[in-house]
Amino acid sequence: MKIQLIRENKKTILFLCLLPFLAAAGLLTVKNLYMQYAAPHMPPCFFRVMTGYRCISCGLTHSVLAICRLQFAEAFRQNPIAPLGLLLALVYYLELWLKALHIQKTLIPRKNAFWLGVLSALVGYAVLRNLINI
């Protein structure tokens, strides 16, 4: 039974096996192109220049670059959005595997209330880190 299910999903399973390698290659390519061509010309954060406070995305680039170096604690310190986004992507990847194996299991809530809570937590973090200088 299980072998028959796997045979039916050969293309899906092959894609899921290759996906992490394709994602890593894409991320490293974008990182190298960014560092070589875009980083020297990036303007400072407009919100920070105007207010003196960090916006919700301040530190996000440094966080993604830390993830590329596999420095997850540093990435979280710079801005937790990127590591949490990576964690969310990994959980969704697991959901895709479960679906390919015909196991119907939802790991990420699909309700708007969940996403509103996530957004509220991120905005709360942005305010809190400016108040206590995280």
Side-chain angles (χ1 to χ4, degrees), residues 50-112:
M50 296 304 290
T51 65
Y53 295 109
R54 293 182 280 182
C55 71
I56 195 168
S57 66
C58 276
L60 194 55
T61 302
H62 294 286
S63 182
V64 171
L65 294 175
I67 288 173
C68 290
R69 294 187 306 269
L70 303 177
Q71 297 173 339
F72 298 106
E74 176 65 16
F76 197 84
R77 191 183 71 71
Q78 290 291 335
N79 192 323
I81 292 174
L84 293 176
L86 177 62
L87 179 63
L88 196 61
L90 290 173
V91 171
Y92 185 69
Y93 177 68
L94 179 59
E95 271 190 22
L96 291 176
W97 265 108
L98 292 173
K99 185 177 178 183
L101 298 173
H102 297 284
I103 300 170
Q104 297 301 323
K105 184 74 176 165
T106 303
L107 302 175
I108 300 172
R110 302 296 199 267
K111 295 186 178 190
N112 290 339

Side-chain angles (χ1 to χ4, degrees), residues 32-53:
N32 290 335
L33 290 173
Y34 172 81
M35 293 303 289
Q36 188 173 3
Y37 297 109
H41 307 291
M42 291 299 292
C45 175
F46 180 74
F47 183 82
R48 192 166 190 178
V49 169
M50 296 304 290
T51 65
Y53 295 109

